[in-house]
Amino acid sequence: LVALFRTMLSITGNWYEEDLQQINSHHKFGALSSDILTEYRLERDKHEVGGQSPNDLSHDGHEILEGLKSSFNEIQIQPFFSFIYRFLGGLRGDDETVKKLADLLVLFDTYATSNKLMNPNYFLFAGAKK
């Protein structure tokens, strides 16, 4: 979905990567999707060196929740955003257009994670010590 959104926004001039307008084959779309998945996993653009600490990537959400629940009684858990936190900075256009696009994308992200259409990239957990 992120690859689709970025490509569509690039075509309209509302995304910073103009070269995405050249995505015109399954191979190119697949390569873009793979690059974006790596970007989100490593918390960095593909051309950047460094990024997430290897320790930050040592456990997934399921393992983190298991650890939390072993020490805390869950009071509430709230899934948070899936993709938006690495998306908004790439929007381009006049202020009014960017605000409308950003609001729509945030709405979709929260809708999709709340309805389990997309996995959240992080979550908020409130608990009481056992």
Side-chain angles (χ1 to χ4, degrees), residues 14 91-103:
N14 296 112
L91 292 174
R92 298 295 184 264
D94 62 83
D95 289 346
E96 183 180 344
T97 300
V98 168
K99 171 109 172 68
K100 286 179 182 178
L101 289 169
D103 288 347

Side-chain angles (χ1 to χ4, degrees), residues 12-54:
T12 64
N14 296 112
W15 186 252
Y16 80 99
E17 295 172 291
E18 293 178 10
D19 60 329
L20 296 187
Q21 296 177 31
Q22 306 305 315
I23 302 298
N24 57 10
S25 70
H26 288 192
H27 175 75
K28 288 179 181 180
F29 193 82
L32 174 62
S33 296
S34 180
D35 285 348
I36 290 171
L37 183 58
T38 300
E39 170 192 332
Y40 274 80
R41 283 185 175 152
L42 299 179
E43 300 285 339
R44 63 178 172 85
D45 292 343
K46 68 179 182 178
H47 65 277
E48 293 177 318
V49 179
Q52 280 290 79
S53 159

